[in-house]
Amino acid sequence: MDIIKIGGSLLTDKTIYRKFYQKKTSKIVQKLSGIEKFILVHGGGSFGHYISKKYGLPGDITEERIKAASIVKYDMADLNQRIVKMLNLAGRPAMGISPFFLDKNNSFSYGIVKKVLDYGMIPVLYGDVYLRKDSIRILSGDHIMSSMAQLMKPKRAIFLTDVDGVFDRDPKKYRDAALLKKYSTESVDFGMISNDVTGGMELKFRSMVNCRNFGVKTYLINGNFPERIEYIGKKEFVGTEF
Ligand code: ATP
Ligand code: IP8
């Protein structure tokens, strides 16, 4: 079994509120639908990060943040259902699962994911808001990936985003940035984070290291070329292996 995350930068234009990349998402989902057994996780893109950033989520409880949390919760469910629908249309019954409802006694309880898998369905988890005693918080899809790596013991953890892999510095800002084909201990620069409230590539990077430390082979691949998933383990592979 694999665990796969589609990054919000592939699903949406992160600079424009709720701008969904229908065609690109459909191409990725189509490719993934050929994989035998997997748990899908997706990020927020401009369905999650835009309003969160504008109204200061995560943070202490205020009237403004409560309103924002309700909007973000709705928008993320909307994004999730678009992906679930695409999987269903591709002949793979899928079930959207928000971590909002899995937060019990200050930790997330993921038992339902196993149940959905046992029914032969694809669990589709996603980054979302959740409520703690004194604050409104956001759980990142990258964090869910490391929890899945720990709990479900998958064969592979595959992270899809909009660049070719981990570079020594942000490839969108530096044209001479070098792709790290196999990450060991090299130092990596992540620069300033914009349009993202959960930590951008730096959090993803830490989650990927965690997945690897849980004994799961972990890869970062450019989802604009979903066929690259097939090249994992082959010499044609383009991406970063952890
Ligand atoms: P989301 O968090 O919405 O799910 P995502 O998972 O697709 O989105 P981002 O958090 O947007 O991913 O991170 C991807 C971005 O990280 C790339 O577009 C790239 O510009 C940026 N980045 C910064 N530093 C690096 C680096 N050293 N190597 C690779 N990408 C980097
Ligand atoms: O994009 C965050 O998930 P991520 C989701 O995987 C929200 O970090 C609600 C911003």
Side-chain angles (χ1 to χ4, degrees):
M1 191 203 46
D2 294 327
I3 56 173
I4 303 171
K5 184 195 174 198
I6 312 178
S9 62
L10 288 165
L11 303 168
T12 73
D13 180 336
K14 285 181 83 160
T15 66
I16 303 173
Y17 178 48
R18 287 179 54 97
K19 170 108 177 98
F20 181 56
Y21 291 145
Q22 166 94 22
K23 253 173 107 177
K24 194 189 289 191
T25 306
S26 169
K27 185 179 164 196
I28 294 168
V29 170
Q30 204 62 41
K31 190 79 207 165
L32 298 183
S33 67
I35 294 174
E36 197 189 335
K37 190 174 180 187
F38 64 103
I39 294 169
L40 187 61
V41 177
H42 65 82
S46 62
F47 282 63
H49 294 276
Y50 193 98
I51 294 289
S52 299
K53 188 160 188 187
K54 190 164 174 190
Y55 296 103
L57 289 174
D60 298 343
I61 300 166
T62 62
E63 219 169 286
E64 193 166 57
R65 286 200 186 102
I66 288 171
K67 282 186 199 155
S70 171
I71 295 169
V72 172
K73 175 83 183 61
Y74 172 86
D75 286 338
M76 285 306 302
D78 181 359
L79 178 62
N80 175 257
Q81 291 300 286
R82 295 175 193 218
I83 294 165
V84 167
K85 188 173 178 183
M86 284 178 185
L87 280 164
N88 285 339
L89 288 173
R92 300 295 302 266
M95 200 59 90
I97 302 172
S98 165
F100 178 92
F101 303 106
L102 309 182
D103 181 37
K104 290 179 191 116
N105 305 321
N106 290 335
S107 74
F108 290 92
S109 137
Y110 288 107
I112 190 72
V113 176
K114 175 129 201 342
K115 189 171 182 179
V116 167
L117 269 178
D118 288 346
Y119 269 79
M121 293 186 270
I122 299 170
V124 188
L125 291 141
Y126 54 103
D128 207 354
V129 291
Y130 64 100
L131 308 175
R132 282 278 160 94
K133 193 163 171 285
D134 301 314
S135 58
I136 302 178
R137 302 192 188 182
I138 293 180
L139 181 71
S140 168
D142 293 322
H143 198 278
I144 296 175
M145 284 291 278
S146 39
S147 300
M148 290 300 106
Q150 180 179 25
L151 298 171
M152 312 297 292
K153 297 283 169 225
K155 203 168 83 196
R156 309 182 294 183
I158 300 170
F159 290 75
L160 302 175
T161 190
D162 68 341
V163 290
D164 281 348
V166 179
F167 287 74
D168 60 349
R169 50 197 172 144
D170 189 344
K172 285 196 183 153
K173 293 193 182 128
Y174 302 94
R175 289 180 64 182
D176 60 342
L179 176 66
L180 307 176
K181 290 188 171 163
K182 193 162 174 128
Y183 177 74
S184 51
T185 54
E186 295 85 350
S187 79
V188 179
D189 178 58
F190 300 103
M192 283 274 292
I193 299 163
S194 52
N195 309 318
D196 195 296
V197 298
T198 50
M201 179 56 79
E202 191 165 2
L203 173 76
K204 189 182 312 301
F205 178 81
R206 276 193 273 124
S207 298
M208 291 187 291
V209 171
N210 285 339
C211 288
R212 180 66 256 193
N213 289 340
F214 289 129
V216 180
K217 286 187 172 164
T218 302
Y219 306 89
L220 182 65
I221 295 174
N222 191 337
N224 288 303
F225 308 96
E227 62 280 7
R228 289 183 182 174
I229 294 172
E230 286 165 21
Y231 302 151
I232 289 175
K234 300 187 179 149
K235 67 173 187 329
E236 302 94 308
F237 178 69
V238 181
T240 301
E241 182 185 344
F242 283 75

